[in-house]
Amino acid sequence: STFHSFLQELPKCEHHMHLEGSLSPEVLFTLAKRNNITLPQDDPAFQSPETLLARYDRFTSLDDFLHYYYIGMSVLISDSDFEDLAMDYFRHAAADGVAHAEVFFDPQAHLERGVSYNTVLKGFSAARDRAQKEFGITSELICCFLRHLPVPNCVSMFKDADVQASFKNGSVTGIGLDSSEKPFPPALFEDIYAGARELGLRRTAHAGEEGPSTFISDALDILKVERIDHGIRLIEDEALLQRIAKDGTMLSVCPLSNVLLRCVKEVKEVPIRKFLDAGVQFSINSDDPAYFGGYILDNYCAVHEAFDLSVAEWTSICRAGIEGSWCSQARKDEML
Ligand code: ADE
Ligand code: ZN
């Protein structure tokens, strides 16, 4: 339809996409073979790319998804695997009309398997350069801490010389916090976020996806984040909602992810209308597109179907996305 092409052509910024979440079942099986990685034999989902994709339709929770997500990324070994993975994302992003992408990666999940931080970073950095040259897509990398791992493990990654070098030389722009949410409150990571702030890094955290709205206020107050990833449970605290609207804090909302992980029953339940009416700034994102059946444009279209937004509303959503991005003012001016 004409609205589809209108949404496609909008200069979109993506703020919530895990690069490891763009690993398709096809690529997963190809890399498993090439890298001699044995996939679980006792889970019938791993019979073929088709059976795996079918299993993705039946996620029961964030943790059920994460189980597959961490097995999936175990096939990534060489820097070119990471480059190919990210290029797969950037190609989809280009087709969907993404102008600028701020993408997450999960180094601890690779370090634990003996894949070095610099291997991961080398592959992703090469893909970022190519995405800029081949598609005109600018990007930033956000290094995430896995909240289900022991805090000392997270602290040692933060202090690692290669990690610190990537923060200081600008190849990584900010930090994030992801993985299993409910048992791991933001306060556990206070020291890491204080350290990141001292280095002048940008800061975001997943909060209020499955966890309570107090995790959103704790992320703001204790971690001093500049952005909240998901944040849909903000609707449970009207005062906090007003505060976030007043401060202009961006939420990176992921509608199809919320449905697939059963945080909501349907896209209509994602509080898009509530956020618009209250003046809460948000962007619309794909989270783990290869797992949740849709890249960014699918998410835009699903929101349009559920909420029938006007051209003016869509234009202001994209404008907020540009203004809330962590790129240079010159790049924002180009996109506006
Ligand atoms: N890692 C990848 N996707 C995630 C999500 N939606 N929530 C928490 N951790 C994640
Ligand atoms: Zn996420």
Side-chain angles (χ1 to χ4, degrees), residues 53-102:
L53 193 63
R55 179 63 180 79
Y56 293 173
D57 271 335
R58 298 194 301 273
F59 289 134
T60 55
S61 65
L62 173 58
D63 283 348
D64 183 40
F65 151 70
L66 289 169
H67 168 79
Y68 286 94
Y69 174 74
Y70 292 121
I71 293 172
M73 68 176 77
S74 73
V75 305
L76 302 163
I77 304 291
S78 70
D79 59 313
S80 66
D81 295 342
F82 290 93
E83 180 178 342
D84 292 349
L85 174 72
M87 282 312 290
D88 205 338
Y89 164 68
F90 284 123
R91 256 187 298 276
H92 280 98
D96 277 6
V98 170
H100 176 73
E102 301 182 350

Side-chain angles (χ1 to χ4, degrees), residues 18 62 65-66 69 178-179 206 209 230 257 261 287-288:
H18 303 262
L62 173 58
F65 151 70
L66 289 169
Y69 174 74
D178 62 359
S179 196
H206 283 53
E209 178 185 16
H230 292 295
S257 163
L261 299 187
D287 203 1
D288 300 284

